[in-house]
Amino acid sequence: MTTQNAATAAGRPDRTMLLVGGTDQHLELAKALGVRVVMLQHPDKVNPFQTGLADELTVVDYTDWEAVVPVAETARAVWGFDAVVSLTEGGLDTAARLNEHFGFPGTRPEVSRRMRDKYLMRSHLAAHGRLDMHVERVTDRASLDAFAELAGFPFIVKPTAATASFGLIRVRGAADLDMVWQRIEELRGRRTDRGSTLFTVDELLMESYLDGPEFSVEGFSFGGRHVVVAVTEKLVSDAHFAELGHALPARLSPEDHDRIRTAVTDFLDTMGVTDGPTHTELRLTSRGPVVIESHNRVGGGRINELVEAAYGIDLLGYGVAWPMGLVEALPEAPAARGAACTRYVLRDPGTVTAVSGAEEIAARPDVLVAELSVRPGDTVRPLRDNWDRLGLVAVTAADTDTAVALCERLTEEIDIEVAPAAVAQERLEAAV
C-alpha cells in the first residue's frame, strides 16, 4: 500500500481520526500513517498499550449511542477530527452513525446496520428480488414447525446479530425441534459469552440450508466501486459450525470465479455499500453462488495476513487510510503473486497437560504465524464453534495446493497433550 505524505512541513500530522474501538493493530496502523488518533474504547477492551499510543483515549461503551454522542461532539470540538473509522464488529454501526452525524462520507448507517443484522439483510435482498432462500424470524415454538413445513430439513437457526458462528443451530429433523426450542430460549436475552461479549442475542432467524462448497470474498469498496481482492476457500464440516481453515487463491475454474465475483459485486450494490473493506461468505450451490452473510469489515482468522502474503494488499491498512484520503483506490483486482493458507489447531476434548513445538514452527520463513490459545491446565471442549479452536498455523507458498499441504502438516506437528480430567490432574500435579 502506498500512502501520500500525511505530515505538514513542520513534521506534525495534519489529519485527525476518531477511531471507534479496535485492536492494538488498528491503532498502530493509524499512527503509522502519521495521523492524530482520538480513540473511543469500550471499558472491557481498553489496555495500557492503547492508552499510551493514542493521542487521546476516552473509555465509553461505544455501543450505547446516547453515551457516545456527547463524547464524540466534545472530541470534535477539541480535536477537529476529519473522519470516523472502525474496523471492529461492535464499532461499525456507531462509526457509520457518527460519520453521518458530522457530515462525513462513507457507508451509511442504515447500510451498516443491515450488513450486521442478518434478518434485515435478507429482507432488503427480498425487497430487491435478490433473495434465493427461505427466511423467517423465530417467534415461538410453532414457528419452527411452520418453517420446517415451508423449507424442509435440514434448516439453520441463528442469531440475527452475532459473530464467529455463536449460537448457530442445524435442525436436522422433526426430532430436533423441541431441543432446538430449548436452546433458543437459553440464548435469548443473553450476551455472547465466547469471544466478543459486546453483543446480546435478541432475535433469531430460520433459513434454508445451502449445499455446496463455502467461500469468502475479500473486497474493498472505493466510493461505490467494488474491487474483489481475493476469493478464499473455507474448510468447514457439517458436524459443527467451526471454521477449520482458509486458503487462497481459491482453487476455482475461471468461470466459477467470475460467477462468484459477479454475485458479490451485485450483492454489495444491492446492499448499498460504498466504502471500506468487506468480507462476504457464500456457498457455490447447485443453482449458483448464494450469499450467506457479509460484513463491512475485514474477515477474521488471519485472512488479512493471507491476502497480504498472496496479493500484497493490506486490507486493514486500506481500511484505515482510505477514509483519511491517504491511499489511492485500487484500479482493478490484483494478480496473485503466491498463495497462503490457515489451518486451525484441533484436539480431542480433555485437559491440556503439555504444549510444545509452536515456537519452532513460527520461526520458519514460510510461516506467517503459529499461535496457540491454550496452555497446561486448560480445558479442550468439544468442537462447536470458532471459540473452541486451540490456535492456528498460517503459511505462504508458491501455489494453493502446496500451501494447504504444508499448513496441514505443520498443524499436526504442534505437540498438545490432552488427557481425561482425572489423568490430567495427576500429570499436572506431578509436574509442579
Side-chain angles (χ1 to χ4, degrees):
M1 181 183 74
T2 59
T3 59
Q4 301 165 9
N5 187 355
T8 65
R12 295 175 57 84
D14 62 356
R15 304 186 190 192
T16 302
M17 168 192 300
L18 182 67
L19 182 63
V20 180
T23 66
D24 295 355
Q25 183 185 16
H26 301 164
L27 179 56
E28 286 179 310
L29 286 168
K31 291 300 296 177
L33 290 170
V35 302
R36 301 182 189 92
V37 179
V38 180
M39 189 172 192
L40 306 183
Q41 187 56 287
H42 194 279
D44 295 346
K45 304 295 183 180
V46 68
N47 64 50
F49 176 82
Q50 295 179 0
T51 303
L53 186 58
D55 294 275
E56 176 72 15
L57 188 146
T58 299
V59 179
V60 62
D61 180 357
Y62 54 72
T63 66
D64 182 345
W65 177 248
E66 298 303 322
V68 165
V69 171
V71 172
E73 289 178 339
T74 300
R76 173 73 168 150
V78 174
W79 291 88
F81 50 78
D82 304 285
V84 184
V85 177
S86 185
L87 297 167
T88 188
E89 186 82 11
L92 295 171
D93 289 358
T94 297
R97 292 182 72 178
L98 287 174
N99 274 323
E100 182 176 72
H101 181 75
F102 293 115
F104 298 143
T107 294
R108 297 295 86 195
E110 65 274 13
V111 177
S112 180
R113 183 163 179 261
R114 62 178 171 247
M115 289 286 281
R116 282 206 57 247
D117 187 309
K118 299 172 180 65
Y119 186 78
L120 287 182
M121 183 195 85
R122 285 153 176 75
S123 297
H124 186 78
L125 293 174
H128 288 77
R130 296 290 198 275
L131 187 65
D132 199 15
M133 65 173 75
H134 295 295
V135 178
E136 297 289 346
R137 276 194 175 103
V138 176
T139 55
D140 53 20
R141 171 63 180 79
S143 67
L144 295 175
D145 296 297
F147 191 78
E149 183 70 22
L150 173 70
F153 296 105
F155 66 88
I156 303 297
V157 174
K158 60 184 173 184
T160 58
T163 61
S165 302
F166 178 84
L168 266 68
I169 307 167
R170 181 180 289 108
V171 187
R172 301 179 186 277
D176 290 350
L177 292 174
D178 286 338
M179 178 187 64
V180 169
W181 178 247
Q182 181 180 352
R183 176 61 175 159
I184 289 170
E185 290 189 308
E186 291 172 356
L187 288 170
R188 272 183 168 159
R190 146 186 169 188
R191 289 177 78 85
T192 52
D193 60 358
R194 316 177 85 197
S196 177
T197 59
L198 300 183
F199 308 104
T200 300
V201 178
D202 294 319
E203 289 189 333
L204 296 98
L205 62 80
M206 303 167 286
E207 64 183 20
S208 304
Y209 175 78
L210 300 174
D211 65 346
E214 191 166 334
F215 300 89
S216 69
V217 175
E218 325 313 327
F220 204 99
S221 299
F222 301 94
R225 183 176 62 86
H226 314 298
V227 176
V228 170
V229 176
V231 179
T232 305
E233 293 179 17
K234 295 179 66 176
L235 180 62
V236 296
S237 169
D238 279 343
H240 50 73
F241 290 102
E243 294 177 351
L244 305 178
H246 309 284
L248 55 83
R251 292 166 287 188
L252 288 163
S253 68
E255 294 77 15
D256 282 340
H257 186 278
D258 286 345
R259 293 166 73 199
I260 288 174
R261 179 188 56 78
T262 299
V264 169
T265 53
D266 179 72
F267 167 84
L268 295 174
D269 278 339
T270 303
M271 292 296 289
V273 174
T274 58
D275 293 274
T278 53
H279 170 71
T280 305
E281 300 172 6
L282 58 84
R283 282 187 183 265
L284 188 55
T285 74
S286 54
R287 59 184 186 276
V290 178
V291 172
I292 300 170
E293 60 186 62
S294 186
H295 309 271
N296 51 323
R297 58 165 172 77
V298 176
R302 298 285 185 164
I303 282 179
N304 191 61
E305 284 89 334
L306 301 187
V307 172
E308 188 169 11
Y311 291 90
I313 302 296
D314 178 2
L315 291 171
L316 282 175
Y318 270 88
V320 171
W322 174 250
M324 305 300 295
L326 298 175
V327 67
E328 298 293 334
L330 290 171
E332 58 187 9
R337 61 188 190 187
C341 175
T342 293
R343 286 293 184 262
Y344 291 96
V345 179
L346 310 171
R347 297 294 185 268
D348 292 332
T351 301
V352 177
T353 59
V355 177
S356 62
E359 292 183 359
E360 291 80 3
I361 289 173
R364 291 175 54 114
D366 49 4
V367 171
L368 300 170
V369 61
E371 62 183 15
L372 296 177
S373 57
V374 293
R375 58 186 180 182
D378 287 347
T379 298
V380 179
R381 297 175 297 222
L383 193 60
R384 287 191 300 164
D385 57 37
N386 292 355
W387 306 114
D388 292 320
R389 302 174 308 201
L390 311 185
L392 63 85
V393 175
V395 307
T396 184
D399 58 79
T400 305
D401 286 337
T402 303
V404 169
L406 173 63
C407 204
E408 292 181 347
R409 177 172 64 81
L410 294 179
T411 301
E412 289 303 316
E413 287 182 7
I414 294 178
D415 186 17
I416 302 177
E417 296 182 19
V418 181
V423 175
Q425 186 61 33
E426 293 177 3
R427 291 182 183 175
L428 292 168
E429 290 174 354
V432 174

